[in-house]
Amino acid sequence: MRQLVSFVVINKDRKELLKRCLTAIFNQTYTNIEVILVDNASLDGSVEMVGSNFPDVKIIKNTMNLLVAKAYNQGAKQANGKYLAFLNSDYYMMPNWLE
């Protein structure tokens, strides 16, 4: 059985890039994954877009920008995977990246 991999993605007002990033994650050939979004107080509708288009994503919505390290730590605490993949919302990978 393949081990669970947790993707922790941080975002701040990058809705379109975030959509591309999440699409790439869910198009991975390795399918035993969970995705955690840590949103740092976006005002561009990022959280709403994720809720509408990616219902399997766990969302942590911050009321202020906690910056990178604190946001990643928040996501890591919620992760269940044996392995963690930390991504910024502007990251895009090929479908076999995780393999």
Coordinates of all heavy atoms in Angstrom, one line a residue:
M1 N 0.8 -1.2 0.0 CA 0.0 0.0 0.0 C 0.9 1.2 0.0 O 1.9 1.3 0.7 CB -0.9 0.0 1.2 CG -1.8 1.1 1.3 SD -3.0 0.9 2.7 CE -3.6 2.5 2.8
R2 N 0.5 2.2 -0.8 CA 1.3 3.4 -0.9 C 1.0 4.3 0.3 O -0.1 4.4 0.8 CB 0.9 4.2 -2.1 CG 1.3 3.5 -3.4 CD 0.9 4.3 -4.6 NE 1.8 4.0 -5.7 CZ 1.9 4.8 -6.7 NH1 1.2 5.8 -6.9 NH2 2.8 4.5 -7.7
Q3 N 2.1 5.0 0.8 CA 2.0 5.8 1.9 C 1.2 7.1 1.6 O 1.3 7.6 0.4 CB 3.4 6.2 2.4 CG 4.2 5.0 2.9 CD 3.6 4.4 4.2 OE1 3.0 5.1 5.0 NE2 3.7 3.1 4.3
L4 N 0.5 7.7 2.5 CA -0.2 8.9 2.3 C 0.8 10.1 2.3 O 1.7 10.2 3.1 CB -1.2 9.2 3.4 CG -2.0 10.5 3.4 CD1 -2.9 10.5 2.2 CD2 -2.8 10.7 4.7
V5 N 0.7 11.0 1.3 CA 1.5 12.2 1.2 C 0.5 13.4 1.4 O -0.5 13.5 0.8 CB 2.1 12.3 -0.2 CG1 2.9 13.6 -0.4 CG2 3.1 11.1 -0.4
S6 N 1.0 14.3 2.2 CA 0.2 15.5 2.5 C 0.8 16.7 1.8 O 2.0 17.0 2.0 CB 0.2 15.8 4.0 OG -0.4 14.7 4.7
F7 N 0.1 17.3 0.9 CA 0.5 18.5 0.3 C 0.0 19.7 1.2 O -1.2 19.8 1.5 CB -0.1 18.7 -1.1 CG 0.5 17.9 -2.1 CD1 0.1 16.6 -2.4 CD2 1.6 18.4 -2.9 CE1 0.6 15.9 -3.4 CE2 2.2 17.7 -3.9 CZ 1.7 16.4 -4.2
V8 N 0.9 20.5 1.6 CA 0.6 21.8 2.3 C 0.9 22.9 1.4 O 2.1 23.2 1.1 CB 1.4 21.9 3.7 CG1 1.0 23.2 4.4 CG2 1.1 20.6 4.5
V9 N -0.2 23.6 1.0 CA 0.0 24.7 0.1 C -0.4 26.0 0.8 O -1.4 26.1 1.4 CB -1.0 24.5 -1.1 CG1 -0.8 25.7 -2.1 CG2 -0.8 23.2 -1.8
I10 N 0.5 27.0 0.7 CA 0.2 28.3 1.3 C -0.2 29.3 0.1 O 0.4 29.2 -1.0 CB 1.3 28.9 2.2 CG1 2.6 29.0 1.4 CG2 1.5 28.0 3.4 CD1 3.7 29.8 2.2
N11 N -1.0 30.2 0.5 CA -1.6 31.1 -0.5 C -1.8 32.5 0.1 O -2.2 32.6 1.3 CB -2.9 30.6 -1.1 CG -3.4 31.5 -2.2 OD1 -2.9 31.7 -3.2 ND2 -4.6 32.0 -1.9
K12 N -1.7 33.5 -0.7 CA -2.1 34.9 -0.3 C -2.4 35.6 -1.6 O -1.5 36.0 -2.4 CB -0.9 35.6 0.4 CG -1.1 37.1 0.6 CD -2.2 37.4 1.6 CE -2.3 38.9 2.0 NZ -3.6 39.4 2.0
D13 N -3.7 35.7 -1.9 CA -4.2 36.5 -3.1 C -3.6 36.0 -4.4 O -3.2 36.9 -5.2 CB -3.9 38.0 -2.9 CG -4.8 38.6 -1.8 OD1 -5.9 38.2 -1.7 OD2 -4.2 39.4 -1.0
R14 N -3.6 34.8 -4.6 CA -3.1 34.2 -5.9 C -4.1 33.2 -6.5 O -3.7 32.1 -6.8 CB -1.7 33.5 -5.7 CG -0.7 34.5 -5.2 CD 0.3 34.7 -6.3 NE 1.3 35.7 -5.9 CZ 2.6 35.5 -6.0 NH1 3.1 34.3 -6.4 NH2 3.4 36.5 -5.7
K15 N -5.3 33.6 -6.5 CA -6.4 32.7 -6.9 C -6.2 31.9 -8.2 O -6.3 30.7 -8.2 CB -7.7 33.5 -7.0 CG -8.9 32.6 -7.4 CD -10.3 33.3 -7.3 CE -10.4 34.4 -8.3 NZ -11.7 35.0 -8.3
E16 N -5.8 32.5 -9.2 CA -5.6 31.8 -10.5 C -4.4 30.9 -10.4 O -4.5 29.8 -11.0 CB -5.5 32.8 -11.7 CG -6.7 33.6 -11.9 CD -8.0 32.7 -12.2 OE1 -7.9 31.7 -12.9 OE2 -9.0 33.0 -11.6
L17 N -3.3 31.3 -9.8 CA -2.2 30.4 -9.7 C -2.5 29.3 -8.8 O -2.1 28.1 -9.0 CB -1.0 31.2 -9.1 CG -0.3 32.2 -10.1 CD1 0.7 33.0 -9.4 CD2 0.2 31.5 -11.3
L18 N -3.3 29.5 -7.7 CA -3.7 28.5 -6.8 C -4.5 27.4 -7.5 O -4.3 26.2 -7.3 CB -4.4 29.1 -5.6 CG -5.0 28.1 -4.6 CD1 -3.9 27.3 -3.9 CD2 -5.8 28.9 -3.6
K19 N -5.4 27.9 -8.3 CA -6.2 26.9 -9.1 C -5.4 26.0 -10.0 O -5.6 24.8 -10.0 CB -7.3 27.7 -10.0 CG -8.3 26.8 -10.6 CD -9.3 27.6 -11.3 CE -10.4 26.7 -11.9 NZ -11.5 27.5 -12.6
R20 N -4.4 26.6 -10.6 CA -3.5 25.8 -11.4 C -2.7 24.9 -10.6 O -2.5 23.7 -11.0 CB -2.5 26.8 -12.2 CG -1.6 26.1 -13.1 CD -0.7 27.2 -13.8 NE 0.5 26.6 -14.2 CZ 1.5 27.2 -14.8 NH1 1.4 28.4 -15.1 NH2 2.6 26.6 -15.1
C21 N -2.2 25.3 -9.4 CA -1.4 24.5 -8.5 C -2.3 23.3 -8.1 O -1.8 22.1 -8.1 CB -0.9 25.3 -7.3 SG -0.1 24.4 -6.1
L22 N -3.5 23.5 -7.6 CA -4.3 22.5 -7.1 C -4.7 21.5 -8.2 O -4.8 20.3 -8.0 CB -5.5 23.0 -6.4 CG -5.3 23.8 -5.1 CD1 -6.5 24.4 -4.6 CD2 -4.6 23.0 -4.1
T23 N -5.0 22.0 -9.4 CA -5.3 21.1 -10.5 C -4.1 20.2 -10.8 O -4.3 19.0 -11.0 CB -5.6 21.9 -11.7 OG1 -6.8 22.7 -11.5 CG2 -5.9 21.1 -13.0
A24 N -2.9 20.7 -10.7 CA -1.7 19.9 -10.9 C -1.6 18.8 -9.8 O -1.2 17.7 -10.1 CB -0.4 20.7 -11.0
I25 N -1.9 19.2 -8.6 CA -1.8 18.2 -7.5 C -2.8 17.1 -7.7 O -2.4 15.9 -7.6 CB -2.0 18.9 -6.1 CG1 -0.9 19.8 -5.8 CG2 -2.2 17.8 -5.1 CD1 -1.1 20.7 -4.6
F26 N -4.0 17.4 -8.1 CA -5.0 16.4 -8.2 C -4.9 15.6 -9.5 O -5.5 14.6 -9.7 CB -6.4 17.0 -8.1 CG -6.8 17.3 -6.6 CD1 -6.8 18.6 -6.2 CD2 -7.0 16.3 -5.8 CE1 -7.1 18.9 -4.9 CE2 -7.3 16.5 -4.4 CZ -7.4 17.8 -4.0
N27 N -4.0 16.1 -10.4 CA -3.7 15.3 -11.6 C -2.5 14.4 -11.5 O -2.0 13.8 -12.4 CB -3.5 16.3 -12.8 CG -4.8 16.8 -13.3 OD1 -5.8 16.2 -13.2 ND2 -4.8 18.0 -13.9
Q28 N -1.9 14.3 -10.3 CA -0.8 13.5 -10.0 C -1.1 12.0 -10.3 O -2.2 11.5 -10.0 CB -0.3 13.6 -8.6 CG 0.4 14.9 -8.3 CD 1.6 15.1 -9.1 OE1 2.6 14.4 -8.9 NE2 1.6 16.1 -10.0
T29 N -0.2 11.3 -10.8 CA -0.3 9.8 -11.0 C -0.3 9.1 -9.6 O -0.9 8.0 -9.5 CB 0.7 9.3 -11.9 OG1 2.0 9.6 -11.4 CG2 0.6 9.8 -13.3
Y30 N 0.3 9.6 -8.7 CA 0.4 9.1 -7.3 C -0.9 9.6 -6.6 O -1.1 10.9 -6.5 CB 1.6 9.6 -6.6 CG 1.9 8.9 -5.2 CD1 2.8 7.9 -5.1 CD2 1.2 9.3 -4.1 CE1 3.0 7.3 -3.9 CE2 1.4 8.7 -2.9 CZ 2.3 7.7 -2.8 OH 2.6 7.1 -1.6
T31 N -1.8 8.8 -6.2 CA -3.1 9.2 -5.8 C -3.4 9.2 -4.3 O -4.5 9.7 -3.9 CB -4.2 8.4 -6.5 OG1 -4.0 7.0 -6.3 CG2 -4.1 8.7 -8.0
N32 N -2.5 8.6 -3.5 CA -2.8 8.6 -2.1 C -2.3 9.9 -1.4 O -1.2 9.9 -0.9 CB -2.1 7.3 -1.4 CG -2.7 7.1 0.0 OD1 -3.7 7.6 0.4 ND2 -1.9 6.2 0.7
I33 N -3.1 10.9 -1.6 CA -2.7 12.2 -1.2 C -3.8 12.9 -0.3 O -5.0 12.5 -0.4 CB -2.3 13.1 -2.3 CG1 -3.5 13.4 -3.2 CG2 -1.2 12.6 -3.1 CD1 -3.4 14.4 -4.3
E34 N -3.4 13.9 0.4 CA -4.4 14.8 1.0 C -3.8 16.2 0.7 O -2.6 16.4 0.6 CB -4.6 14.6 2.5 CG -3.4 15.0 3.4 CD -3.7 14.9 4.9 OE1 -4.9 14.8 5.3 OE2 -2.7 15.0 5.6
V35 N -4.7 17.2 0.6 CA -4.2 18.6 0.4 C -4.8 19.5 1.4 O -6.0 19.5 1.7 CB -4.7 19.0 -1.0 CG1 -4.2 20.4 -1.3 CG2 -4.2 18.1 -2.1
I36 N -3.9 20.3 2.0 CA -4.2 21.3 3.0 C -3.8 22.6 2.5 O -2.6 22.8 2.2 CB -3.5 21.0 4.3 CG1 -3.8 19.6 4.8 CG2 -3.8 22.0 5.4 CD1 -2.9 19.0 5.8
L37 N -4.8 23.5 2.4 CA -4.5 24.9 2.0 C -4.4 25.8 3.2 O -5.4 25.7 4.1 CB -5.6 25.4 1.1 CG -5.6 26.9 0.8 CD1 -4.4 27.3 0.0 CD2 -6.9 27.4 0.2
V38 N -3.4 26.5 3.4 CA -3.3 27.5 4.4 C -3.3 28.9 3.7 O -2.4 29.2 3.0 CB -2.0 27.4 5.3 CG1 -2.0 28.4 6.4 CG2 -1.9 26.0 5.8
D39 N -4.5 29.6 3.9 CA -4.6 30.8 3.2 C -4.3 32.0 4.2 O -4.9 32.1 5.3 CB -6.1 31.0 2.7 CG -6.2 32.2 1.9 OD1 -5.9 32.2 0.7 OD2 -6.6 33.3 2.4
N40 N -3.4 32.8 3.8 CA -3.0 34.0 4.6 C -3.8 35.2 4.4 O -3.3 36.2 3.9 CB -1.5 34.2 4.4 CG -0.6 33.3 5.2 OD1 -1.0 32.9 6.3 ND2 0.5 32.9 4.7
A41 N -5.1 35.2 4.7 CA -6.0 36.3 4.6 C -6.2 36.9 3.2 O -6.2 38.1 3.0 CB -5.5 37.4 5.6
S42 N -6.4 36.0 2.3 CA -6.6 36.5 0.9 C -7.9 37.3 0.8 O -8.9 37.0 1.5 CB -6.7 35.3 -0.1 OG -5.4 34.7 -0.2
L43 N -7.9 38.3 -0.1 CA -9.0 39.1 -0.4 C -9.5 38.9 -1.8 O -10.5 39.6 -2.2 CB -8.7 40.6 -0.1 CG -8.2 40.9 1.3 CD1 -7.8 42.3 1.4 CD2 -9.3 40.6 2.3
D44 N -9.0 38.0 -2.5 CA -9.3 37.8 -4.0 C -10.3 36.7 -4.3 O -10.5 36.3 -5.4 CB -8.0 37.7 -4.8 CG -7.3 36.3 -4.5 OD1 -7.7 35.7 -3.5 OD2 -6.4 36.0 -5.3
G45 N -10.9 36.1 -3.2 CA -11.8 35.0 -3.4 C -11.1 33.6 -3.6 O -11.8 32.7 -4.0
S46 N -9.9 33.5 -3.2 CA -9.1 32.3 -3.3 C -9.8 31.1 -2.5 O -10.0 30.0 -3.0 CB -7.7 32.4 -2.7 OG -6.9 33.2 -3.5
V47 N -10.2 31.4 -1.3 CA -10.8 30.4 -0.4 C -12.1 29.9 -1.0 O -12.4 28.7 -1.0 CB -11.0 30.9 1.0 CG1 -11.8 30.0 1.9 CG2 -9.6 31.2 1.7
E48 N -12.9 30.9 -1.5 CA -14.2 30.5 -2.1 C -14.0 29.7 -3.3 O -14.8 28.7 -3.5 CB -15.0 31.8 -2.4 CG -15.4 32.6 -1.1 CD -14.3 33.4 -0.5 OE1 -13.2 33.6 -1.2 OE2 -14.5 33.9 0.6
M49 N -13.0 30.0 -4.1 CA -12.7 29.2 -5.3 C -12.4 27.8 -5.0 O -12.8 26.9 -5.6 CB -11.6 29.9 -6.1 CG -11.2 29.2 -7.4 SD -10.1 27.8 -7.2 CE -8.6 28.6 -6.6
V50 N -11.6 27.6 -3.9 CA -11.2 26.3 -3.5 C -12.4 25.5 -3.0 O -12.6 24.4 -3.4 CB -10.0 26.4 -2.5 CG1 -9.8 25.0 -1.9 CG2 -8.8 27.0 -3.1
G51 N -13.2 26.1 -2.2 CA -14.4 25.5 -1.7 C -15.3 25.0 -2.8 O -15.9 24.0 -2.7
S52 N -15.4 25.8 -3.8 CA -16.3 25.5 -5.0 C -15.7 24.4 -5.9 O -16.5 23.6 -6.5 CB -16.6 26.7 -5.8 OG -17.3 27.6 -5.0
N53 N -14.4 24.5 -6.1 CA -13.8 23.6 -7.2 C -13.0 22.4 -6.6 O -12.7 21.5 -7.4 CB -12.9 24.5 -8.0 CG -13.6 25.5 -8.8 OD1 -14.4 25.2 -9.7 ND2 -13.5 26.8 -8.4
F54 N -12.6 22.5 -5.4 CA -11.7 21.4 -4.8 C -12.3 21.0 -3.4 O -11.7 21.4 -2.4 CB -10.3 21.9 -4.7 CG -9.7 22.3 -6.0 CD1 -9.7 23.7 -6.4 CD2 -9.2 21.4 -6.9 CE1 -9.2 24.1 -7.6 CE2 -8.6 21.8 -8.1 CZ -8.6 23.1 -8.5
P55 N -13.4 20.4 -3.4 CA -14.1 20.1 -2.1 C -13.3 19.2 -1.2 O -13.5 19.2 0.0 CB -15.4 19.4 -2.5 CG -15.1 18.9 -3.9 CD -14.2 19.8 -4.5
D56 N -12.3 18.5 -1.7 CA -11.5 17.6 -0.8 C -10.3 18.3 -0.1 O -9.6 17.7 0.7 CB -10.9 16.4 -1.7 CG -12.0 15.5 -2.2 OD1 -13.1 15.4 -1.5 OD2 -11.8 14.9 -3.3
V57 N -10.1 19.5 -0.4 CA -9.0 20.3 0.2 C -9.5 20.7 1.6 O -10.5 21.3 1.8 CB -8.6 21.5 -0.7 CG1 -7.6 22.4 0.1 CG2 -8.1 21.1 -2.0
K58 N -8.6 20.5 2.6 CA -8.8 21.0 3.9 C -8.3 22.5 3.9 O -7.2 22.7 3.4 CB -8.0 20.2 4.9 CG -8.4 18.8 5.1 CD -7.5 18.1 6.1 CE -7.7 16.6 6.1 NZ -6.8 15.9 7.0
I59 N -9.1 23.4 4.4 CA -8.8 24.8 4.3 C -8.6 25.3 5.7 O -9.4 25.2 6.6 CB -9.9 25.6 3.6 CG1 -10.1 25.1 2.2 CG2 -9.6 27.1 3.7 CD1 -11.3 25.7 1.5
I60 N -7.4 26.0 5.9 CA -7.1 26.8 7.1 C -7.1 28.2 6.6 O -6.3 28.6 5.8 CB -5.8 26.4 7.7 CG1 -5.8 24.9 8.1 CG2 -5.5 27.3 8.9 CD1 -4.4 24.4 8.5
K61 N -8.1 29.0 7.1 CA -8.2 30.4 6.7 C -7.7 31.3 7.8 O -8.4 31.4 8.9 CB -9.6 30.7 6.3 CG -9.8 32.1 5.7 CD -11.2 32.4 5.3 CE -11.3 33.8 4.7 NZ -12.6 34.1 4.3
N62 N -6.6 32.0 7.6 CA -6.1 32.9 8.6 C -6.7 34.3 8.4 O -6.9 34.7 7.3 CB -4.5 33.0 8.5 CG -3.9 31.7 8.9 OD1 -4.3 31.0 9.8 ND2 -2.8 31.3 8.2
T63 N -6.8 35.0 9.5 CA -7.4 36.3 9.5 C -6.3 37.4 9.2 O -6.6 38.5 9.0 CB -8.2 36.7 10.7 OG1 -7.3 36.5 11.9 CG2 -9.4 35.7 10.9
M64 N -5.0 36.9 9.3 CA -3.9 37.8 9.0 C -2.8 37.0 8.3 O -2.8 35.8 8.3 CB -3.4 38.5 10.3 CG -2.9 37.5 11.3 SD -2.4 38.3 12.9 CE -0.9 39.0 12.4
N65 N -1.9 37.7 7.6 CA -0.8 37.0 6.9 C 0.2 36.6 7.9 O 0.9 37.4 8.5 CB -0.2 38.0 5.9 CG 0.8 37.3 5.0 OD1 1.2 36.1 5.2 ND2 1.2 37.9 4.0
L66 N 0.3 35.2 8.1 CA 1.3 34.7 9.1 C 2.6 34.4 8.4 O 3.5 33.9 9.1 CB 0.7 33.4 9.7 CG -0.5 33.5 10.5 CD1 -0.9 32.2 11.1 CD2 -0.4 34.6 11.6
L67 N 2.7 34.7 7.1 CA 3.9 34.5 6.4 C 4.2 33.0 6.2 O 3.4 32.2 6.5 CB 5.1 35.2 7.0 CG 4.9 36.8 7.1 CD1 6.1 37.4 7.8 CD2 4.6 37.4 5.8
V68 N 5.4 32.7 5.7 CA 5.6 31.3 5.2 C 5.8 30.3 6.3 O 5.1 29.3 6.3 CB 6.8 31.3 4.2 CG1 7.2 29.9 3.8 CG2 6.6 32.2 3.0
A69 N 6.7 30.5 7.2 CA 7.1 29.5 8.2 C 5.9 29.1 9.1 O 5.6 27.9 9.3 CB 8.3 29.9 9.0
K70 N 5.2 30.1 9.6 CA 4.1 29.8 10.5 C 2.9 29.1 9.7 O 2.3 28.2 10.3 CB 3.6 31.1 11.2 CG 4.5 31.6 12.2 CD 3.9 32.8 12.9 CE 4.9 33.3 14.0 NZ 4.3 34.4 14.8
A71 N 2.7 29.6 8.5 CA 1.6 29.0 7.7 C 2.0 27.5 7.4 O 1.1 26.6 7.5 CB 1.4 29.7 6.4
Y72 N 3.2 27.2 7.0 CA 3.6 25.8 6.8 C 3.4 25.0 8.1 O 3.0 23.8 8.0 CB 5.0 25.7 6.3 CG 5.1 25.9 4.8 CD1 6.2 26.6 4.3 CD2 4.2 25.5 3.9 CE1 6.4 26.9 2.9 CE2 4.3 25.7 2.5 CZ 5.4 26.4 2.0 OH 5.6 26.6 0.7
N73 N 3.8 25.5 9.2 CA 3.7 24.8 10.5 C 2.2 24.5 10.8 O 1.9 23.5 11.3 CB 4.4 25.6 11.6 CG 5.9 25.4 11.6 OD1 6.4 24.5 11.1 ND2 6.5 26.4 12.1
Q74 N 1.3 25.5 10.5 CA -0.1 25.3 10.7 C -0.6 24.1 9.9 O -1.3 23.2 10.4 CB -0.9 26.5 10.3 CG -1.1 27.6 11.3 CD -2.0 28.6 10.7 OE1 -1.8 29.1 9.6 NE2 -3.0 28.9 11.4
G75 N -0.2 24.1 8.6 CA -0.6 23.0 7.8 C 0.0 21.6 8.2 O -0.7 20.6 8.2
A76 N 1.2 21.6 8.6 CA 1.9 20.4 9.0 C 1.2 19.8 10.2 O 1.1 18.6 10.3 CB 3.4 20.7 9.3
K77 N 0.7 20.6 11.1 CA 0.0 20.1 12.3 C -1.3 19.4 12.0 O -1.7 18.6 12.7 CB -0.2 21.3 13.3 CG 1.0 21.7 14.0 CD 0.7 22.9 14.9 CE 2.0 23.4 15.5 NZ 1.8 24.7 16.3
Q78 N -1.9 19.8 10.8 CA -3.1 19.2 10.4 C -2.9 18.0 9.5 O -3.9 17.3 9.1 CB -4.0 20.2 9.7 CG -4.4 21.4 10.6 CD -5.3 20.9 11.7 OE1 -6.2 20.2 11.5 NE2 -5.0 21.4 12.9
A79 N -1.7 17.8 9.0 CA -1.4 16.7 8.1 C -1.4 15.4 8.7 O -1.0 15.2 9.8 CB 0.0 17.0 7.4
N80 N -1.9 14.4 7.9 CA -2.0 13.0 8.3 C -1.0 12.1 7.6 O -0.8 10.9 7.9 CB -3.4 12.4 8.1 CG -4.4 13.1 9.0 OD1 -4.2 13.2 10.2 ND2 -5.4 13.7 8.4
G81 N -0.3 12.7 6.6 CA 0.6 11.9 5.8 C 1.9 11.5 6.4 O 2.3 12.2 7.3
K82 N 2.5 10.4 5.9 CA 3.8 10.0 6.3 C 4.8 11.0 5.8 O 5.9 11.3 6.4 CB 4.1 8.6 5.9 CG 5.5 8.2 6.3 CD 5.7 6.7 6.0 CE 7.1 6.3 6.5 NZ 7.4 4.9 6.3
Y83 N 4.5 11.5 4.6 CA 5.4 12.5 3.9 C 4.7 13.8 3.7 O 3.5 13.8 3.5 CB 5.9 11.9 2.6 CG 6.6 10.6 2.7 CD1 6.0 9.4 2.4 CD2 7.9 10.6 3.2 CE1 6.6 8.2 2.5 CE2 8.6 9.3 3.3 CZ 7.9 8.2 3.0 OH 8.5 7.0 3.2
L84 N 5.4 14.9 3.8 CA 4.8 16.2 3.5 C 5.5 16.9 2.3 O 6.7 16.8 2.2 CB 5.1 17.1 4.8 CG 4.5 16.7 6.1 CD1 4.9 17.6 7.2 CD2 3.0 16.6 6.0
A85 N 4.7 17.5 1.5 CA 5.2 18.3 0.4 C 4.7 19.7 0.6 O 3.5 20.0 0.6 CB 4.7 17.7 -1.0
F86 N 5.7 20.6 0.8 CA 5.3 22.0 1.0 C 5.4 22.8 -0.3 O 6.5 22.8 -0.9 CB 6.3 22.6 2.1 CG 6.2 22.0 3.4 CD1 7.1 21.1 3.9 CD2 5.1 22.4 4.3 CE1 7.0 20.5 5.1 CE2 5.0 21.8 5.5 CZ 5.9 20.9 6.0
L87 N 4.3 23.5 -0.6 CA 4.3 24.2 -1.9 C 3.7 25.6 -1.7 O 2.8 25.8 -0.9 CB 3.4 23.5 -2.9 CG 3.7 22.1 -3.2 CD1 2.6 21.5 -4.2 CD2 5.0 21.9 -3.9
N88 N 4.3 26.5 -2.4 CA 3.6 27.8 -2.6 C 2.6 27.7 -3.7 O 2.7 26.8 -4.5 CB 4.6 28.9 -3.0 CG 5.6 29.2 -1.9 OD1 5.3 29.2 -0.7 ND2 6.8 29.6 -2.3
S89 N 1.6 28.6 -3.7 CA 0.5 28.5 -4.6 C 0.9 28.7 -6.1 O 0.1 28.4 -7.0 CB -0.6 29.4 -4.2 OG -0.2 30.8 -4.1
D90 N 2.1 29.3 -6.3 CA 2.5 29.5 -7.7 C 3.3 28.3 -8.2 O 3.9 28.4 -9.3 CB 3.3 30.8 -7.8 CG 4.6 30.8 -6.9 OD1 4.8 29.9 -6.1 OD2 5.4 31.8 -7.1
Y91 N 3.4 27.2 -7.5 CA 4.1 26.1 -7.9 C 3.3 25.2 -8.8 O 2.1 25.0 -8.5 CB 4.6 25.2 -6.7 CG 5.6 24.2 -7.1 CD1 6.9 24.5 -7.3 CD2 5.3 22.9 -7.2 CE1 7.9 23.6 -7.7 CE2 6.2 21.9 -7.6 CZ 7.5 22.3 -7.8 OH 8.4 21.3 -8.2
Y92 N 3.8 24.6 -9.8 CA 3.1 23.8 -10.8 C 4.0 22.6 -11.1 O 5.2 22.8 -11.4 CB 2.8 24.6 -12.0 CG 2.1 23.8 -13.1 CD1 0.8 23.5 -13.0 CD2 2.8 23.4 -14.2 CE1 0.2 22.8 -14.0 CE2 2.2 22.7 -15.2 CZ 0.9 22.4 -15.1 OH 0.3 21.7 -16.1
M93 N 3.5 21.4 -11.0 CA 4.3 20.2 -11.3 C 3.7 19.4 -12.4 O 2.5 19.4 -12.6 CB 4.6 19.5 -10.0 CG 3.4 18.6 -9.5 SD 2.1 19.5 -8.7 CE 2.8 20.2 -7.3
M94 N 4.6 18.5 -13.0 CA 4.1 17.6 -14.0 C 3.4 16.4 -13.3 O 3.6 16.2 -12.1 CB 5.3 17.0 -14.7 CG 6.1 18.1 -15.5 SD 5.2 19.1 -16.6 CE 4.8 17.9 -17.8
P95 N 2.5 15.7 -14.0 CA 1.7 14.7 -13.4 C 2.5 13.5 -12.7 O 1.9 12.9 -11.7 CB 0.9 14.1 -14.6 CG 0.8 15.2 -15.6 CD 2.2 15.9 -15.4
N96 N 3.7 13.3 -13.1 CA 4.5 12.2 -12.4 C 5.4 12.7 -11.4 O 6.3 12.0 -10.9 CB 5.2 11.4 -13.5 CG 6.2 12.2 -14.2 OD1 6.2 13.4 -14.2 ND2 7.1 11.5 -15.0
W97 N 5.3 14.0 -11.0 CA 6.3 14.6 -10.1 C 6.4 13.8 -8.8 O 7.5 13.6 -8.3 CB 5.8 16.1 -9.8 CG 6.7 16.8 -8.9 CD1 7.8 17.4 -9.1 CD2 6.4 17.0 -7.4 NE1 8.3 18.0 -8.0 CE2 7.5 17.8 -7.0 CE3 5.4 16.7 -6.6 CZ2 7.6 18.2 -5.6 CZ3 5.5 17.0 -5.3 CH2 6.6 17.8 -4.8
L98 N 5.3 13.4 -8.2 CA 5.4 12.7 -6.9 C 5.8 11.3 -7.0 O 6.4 10.7 -6.1 CB 4.0 12.8 -6.3 CG 3.9 12.4 -4.8 CD1 4.9 13.2 -4.0 CD2 2.5 12.6 -4.3
E99 N 5.6 10.7 -8.2 CA 6.1 9.3 -8.4 C 7.6 9.2 -8.2 O 8.1 8.3 -7.7 CB 5.8 8.8 -9.8 CG 4.3 8.6 -10.0 CD 3.7 7.3 -9.3 OE1 4.5 6.4 -8.9 OE2 2.5 7.2 -9.3

